[in-house]
Amino acid sequence: MSDKQHITLVLDAHRVPLDIERDREPIYREAALMLNHRYQFYQRRMPQASAEQLWVYVALESAVNLQSDARQKNLEPILKKIGDLNLEIEEKLKITR
């Protein structure tokens, strides 16, 4: 059975109650902090924008970052294999020279 706890995060003026795995609390708190910082960034840049518009920008930026990270992780095994193959080729070339 998992060890859950109840937390409440504050995103701008919104309280978000959650029941989460105890060991994931720091991740949720860091995520909330990051979202609040990005919200404040857009709020400073677009003072006339509504809260809804600002959250759309925050959501879009977060989604782009997530997709970018996912693509980078998908490339890691390929880049490692290329690196391994390059080492093997270099070793073979040293033997034949």
Side-chain angles (χ1 to χ4, degrees), residues 36-50:
N36 280 318
H37 283 155
R38 298 315 298 161
Y39 181 87
Q40 291 163 4
F41 169 80
Y42 286 113
Q43 192 174 44
R44 285 190 303 274
R45 292 195 64 194
M46 300 181 292
Q48 304 304 321
S50 69

Side-chain angles (χ1 to χ4, degrees), residues 20-37:
I20 61 165
E21 303 286 331
R22 187 171 298 280
D23 62 344
R24 295 183 56 86
E25 179 189 5
I27 296 169
Y28 276 85
R29 297 219 182 264
E30 290 166 14
L33 184 62
M34 185 268 310
L35 291 172
N36 280 318
H37 283 155

Side-chain angles (χ1 to χ4, degrees), residues 47-63:
Q48 304 304 321
S50 69
E52 182 179 68
Q53 289 171 315
L54 297 172
W55 282 117
V56 167
Y57 279 93
V58 171
L60 178 61
E61 180 182 334
S62 298

Side-chain angles (χ1 to χ4, degrees), residues 81-94:
K81 185 67 174 174
I82 290 171
D84 293 345
L85 290 171
N86 279 339
L87 286 174
E88 189 175 330
I89 290 168
E90 287 175 4
E91 288 174 12
K92 297 288 184 191
L93 288 174
K94 287 178 189 174

